[in-house]
Amino acid sequence: MVRSKAATAATASGAAKASRNQRLSNAERSAYFARREATKVLRCVLQGDAQRRAVGSIKSLVYSPSVRNKKATFALVCQTLKHLPIIKEVLETSSILNSKWKRQEELVYIITYDILFGQDILLVGDAEKFLMLRKDAIQSSLARLLVRKKAKCIEDLTALYQTPDVTKPRYVRVNTLKMDVDSAVLELGKQYMVRKDDMVPDLLILPPGSDLHNHPLVVNGSVFMQGKASSLVAAALAPKPGWKVLDACSAPGNKTVHLAALMKGKGKVIACELNKERVKRLEDTVMLSGATNIEVLHGDFLNLDPKDPPYSEVCAILLDPSCSGSGTAVERLDHLLPSHAAGHAPDIIDTERLNKLAAFQKKALAHALSFPAVERVVYSTCSIHQTENEDVVKSVLPLATSYGFQLATPFPQWHRRGLLVFKGSEHLLRTDLVEDKEGFFIALFERRDTADHSKMPSKSSRCPCAHTRDCANAHRIVYKKKYVTPYMYNRMFKIWSYGGLKFGRKKSGGATISLESEHEMVSSS
Ligand code: SAM
């Protein structure tokens, strides 16, 4: 049967209409779910903020596996928060909310944002219908607000309410295993103004707001989006090509792959990570980097025996343990929170949590210093708290000295150093949450006395490094002079530390989990 042209055209147009309807309903569905996902995140953020309680950052909540439409959810949450004071005032003055919808205030905020400032609302859902029926009332309430605030347009009004924009340059670290720095500058320079950082040789600075998430160089692992402070850590450790290096708490692995690049892919990086989920992220990062000298180890750093052969040869340890993440307030978008606008301190200090974290940090640092062949240990946090920084370093200093370590000065040209709370804290490095837009802390321990400290000296011991006679004599003198008391201290410290560890752990289904694994992992770089 031959069909007429008109009939064919009609069928085609019908099919196009049906497909348009299908697309529309897909769009409606995805907008509906994005609003629900954004509601959950917003509720968690606002409740945490109101109770001055630490919850995950907006980003960590959005990037949790349960959120499917991450991009739309993130945008909706951030935009709603940005406009929240206006939205609240509009809703209050229009008096349209009954008790039922007042109980779902976060969803109402999000839909109102869409009605007032977002795209044309894709109307599905009861809450959407309720608010769309009152769209005129909402809009006239906004118009009255404009008049009251003497704002000419919405932009003026938004500016009146907005907290100052916290802008931070976009840093990217060139993965020199895949690309050299000059080629990266050339390639990124096609789209952005690019400068080289003057402290970390493979770090580039791009203008704030440069969105590189889908840039081919990011997607193929030639560059990593990594902040300046975070990039200082592996550079401070300065591992040599060919060394065996241990990254003690390594996921998601940004510093691990930086170490591998600094070692030019030679030698070995052992990347230890306790959290199973995060081990997957670590493996992805390693894969993306193209590094072939990284061994991923799923386990508890505190359980690694420094005397066991793979670890007894480790020359350097990077210890970047779980911390409060208080230095990442800008990254966490805390300036969008109502408490920030109200002028409260942006950081929520939960002393009990800080003390728990610090207890783990001290154990981990003491453990790192006990590896017999280690020459350099870097301890870093993205915290601004003295409890997690200077206090941790100070607490291990006698032990560190007894092992032959001294504090060294990473990046001496950097002006911001440790808080002056003990002699030697001027060696420590800090970055400032306000001035540098991220709060970071780095301590570098260097072993100046290279004796083999795997064997503790006894009163009558020879030099345990069993080198030359001179060397043995020299060390014996040192032990006599310095180490008899620290040795006792060591023993006591170890009994305390490992005893504490034993008591501090819980058995779970036969597997030992450390207290640390129970902490919320707020920080990543
Ligand atoms: N250095 C990482 C980076 O730059 O990508 C970030 C590390 S993050 C601050 C701390 C990590 O330590 C978390 O992934 C946490 O799961 C892990 N962790 C906590 N306790 C641990 C332990 N006892 N042994 C090994 N890893 C641990």
Side-chain angles (χ1 to χ4, degrees):
M1 196 172 77
V2 182
R3 296 179 60 170
S4 73
K5 269 188 184 174
T8 314
T11 319
S13 118
K17 209 169 170 185
S19 124
R20 228 180 3 255
N21 282 342
Q22 174 67 29
R23 270 209 306 276
L24 190 67
S25 67
N26 281 345
E28 277 177 346
R29 205 173 311 129
S30 96
Y32 173 89
F33 283 116
R35 284 193 292 271
R36 266 60 191 177
E37 295 196 311
T39 298
K40 278 192 202 150
V41 174
L42 188 64
R43 184 171 303 137
C44 192
V45 168
L46 290 179
Q47 285 178 356
D49 190 50
Q51 293 162 17
R52 323 283 299 135
R53 183 168 51 83
V55 293
S57 68
I58 300 171
K59 276 187 192 161
S60 69
L61 292 169
V62 168
Y63 283 89
S64 77
S66 64
V67 176
R68 285 163 62 184
N69 193 345
K70 299 189 192 307
K71 207 169 169 182
T73 305
F74 184 67
L76 257 179
V77 172
C78 290
Q79 287 306 321
T80 306
L81 277 172
K82 230 178 194 171
H83 294 90
L84 197 57
I86 302 177
I87 293 171
K88 279 185 171 175
E89 199 152 340
V90 162
L91 287 171
E92 210 171 294
T93 50
S94 61
S95 325
I96 54 165
L97 292 186
N98 55 28
S99 55
K100 175 184 170 190
W101 294 113
K102 272 186 186 154
R103 281 198 297 275
Q104 300 202 38
E105 56 181 0
E106 295 84 8
L107 178 60
V108 168
Y109 294 154
I110 282 176
I111 299 169
T112 310
Y113 164 77
D114 258 346
I115 292 176
L116 290 176
F117 311 107
Q119 311 144 351
D120 271 352
I121 191 157
L122 293 157
L123 187 83
V124 276
D126 290 349
E128 283 83 346
K129 278 185 194 140
F130 174 85
L131 287 163
M132 280 303 277
L133 286 173
R134 287 147 187 89
K135 185 176 172 178
D136 290 347
I138 293 173
Q139 284 179 334
S140 18
S141 170
L142 176 63
R144 286 196 301 276
L145 184 61
L146 277 162
V147 174
R148 265 205 325 277
K149 296 280 177 186
K150 299 189 178 66
K152 287 197 194 87
C153 56
I154 299 291
E155 285 70 33
D156 287 355
L157 185 63
T158 320
L160 275 180
Y161 281 92
Q162 224 150 39
T163 48
D165 215 3
V166 185
T167 46
K168 181 174 145 187
R170 160 65 66 200
Y171 285 96
V172 293
R173 184 179 59 73
V174 182
N175 174 16
T176 49
L177 293 173
K178 284 199 168 172
M179 186 178 220
D180 64 82
V181 174
D182 289 334
S183 308
V185 171
L186 221 67
E187 199 52 39
L188 293 168
K190 290 176 187 166
Q191 264 177 281
Y192 306 101
M193 287 262 300
V194 185
R195 284 183 298 131
K196 289 184 188 174
D197 185 70
D198 51 6
M199 280 168 72
V200 186
D202 41 6
L203 194 68
L204 304 178
I205 311 169
L206 278 69
S210 308
D211 184 4
L212 288 164
H213 286 86
N214 295 321
H215 194 284
L217 294 189
V218 172
V219 175
N220 72 21
S222 298
V223 302
F224 279 82
M225 294 201 293
Q226 190 173 348
K228 173 160 176 157
S230 161
S231 305
L232 291 173
V233 179
L237 192 66
K240 299 211 172 89
W243 274 12
K244 190 174 270 184
V245 177
L246 178 59
D247 188 352
C249 297
S250 54
N254 293 315
K255 299 182 187 82
T256 316
V257 297
H258 192 187
L259 288 171
L262 291 169
M263 292 159 68
K264 303 189 191 319
K266 294 182 191 133
K268 192 173 190 179
V269 181
I270 303 170
C272 178
E273 170 58 45
L274 179 68
N275 182 306
K276 195 173 167 195
E277 290 302 313
R278 291 173 67 88
V279 166
K280 285 195 202 107
R281 285 183 66 189
L282 170 64
E283 285 170 342
D284 290 346
T285 312
V286 172
M287 179 82 88
L288 184 64
S289 76
T292 52
N293 63 333
I294 299 174
E295 182 191 309
V296 170
L297 182 76
H298 177 204
D300 186 339
F301 167 62
L302 295 172
N303 282 345
L304 303 188
D305 184 348
K307 291 194 208 90
D308 271 359
Y311 313 120
S312 58
E313 296 144 16
V314 164
C315 309
I317 296 182
L318 190 156
L319 175 64
D320 184 37
S322 297
C323 69
S324 61
S326 51
T328 58
V330 174
E331 196 69 24
R332 286 198 321 233
L333 305 173
D334 282 2
H335 56 284
L336 293 179
L337 299 177
S339 62
H340 192 275
H344 298 306
D347 189 38
I348 300 155
I349 299 176
D350 177 343
T351 315
E352 196 188 330
R353 178 167 169 259
L354 277 191
N355 289 339
K356 260 189 181 176
L357 286 165
F360 168 70
Q361 291 154 353
K362 286 173 190 172
K363 278 177 198 163
L365 183 52
H367 191 54
L369 293 166
S370 75
F371 284 63
V374 161
E375 286 176 29
R376 294 168 77 78
V377 173
V378 158
Y379 170 74
S380 61
T381 72
C382 53
S383 164
I384 55 172
H385 298 300
Q386 181 186 327
T387 317
E388 297 179 273
N389 298 333
E390 286 83 359
D391 290 355
V392 170
V393 171
K394 186 178 174 212
S395 75
V396 301
L397 272 184
L399 180 76
T401 312
S402 76
Y403 282 142
F405 285 100
Q406 285 179 17
L407 280 174
T409 313
F411 301 100
Q413 71 271 41
W414 181 254
H415 56 296
R416 242 183 282 288
R417 310 307 309 188
L419 303 178
L420 296 174
V421 288
F422 64 87
K423 195 166 166 279
S425 65
E426 67 281 3
H427 292 291
L428 309 171
L429 183 152
R430 262 183 179 263
T431 62
D432 185 78
L433 183 56
V434 177
E435 298 288 323
D436 309 312
K437 312 277 196 298
E438 55 185 332
F440 233 85
F441 175 85
I442 301 177
L444 168 63
F445 293 86
E446 253 178 19
R447 176 120 62 188
R448 305 272 161 89
D449 159 18
T450 52
D452 176 0
H453 292 274
S454 60
K455 300 165 196 114
M456 290 296 166
S458 68
K459 266 186 199 162
S460 61
S461 74
R462 300 174 346 102
C463 170
C465 74
H467 287 158
T468 61
R469 220 191 124 122
D470 283 351
C471 164
N473 284 335
H475 283 131
R476 212 169 25 235
I477 293 163
V478 172
Y479 292 139
K480 269 191 201 151
K481 272 190 177 164
K482 283 193 186 164
Y483 292 150
V484 176
T485 319
Y487 170 59
M488 287 306 292
Y489 175 85
N490 270 345
R491 295 280 309 212
M492 284 166 67
F493 186 89
K494 282 204 157 188
I495 290 165
W496 168 79
S497 156
Y498 289 93
L501 260 179
K502 259 191 206 144
F503 296 126
R505 291 195 187 176
K506 290 186 178 171
K507 289 272 180 193
S508 125
T512 308
I513 54 164
S514 72
L515 273 179
E516 178 61 7
S517 65
E518 294 170 332
H519 293 146
E520 185 199 357
M521 303 300 169
V522 198
S523 72
S524 75
S525 359

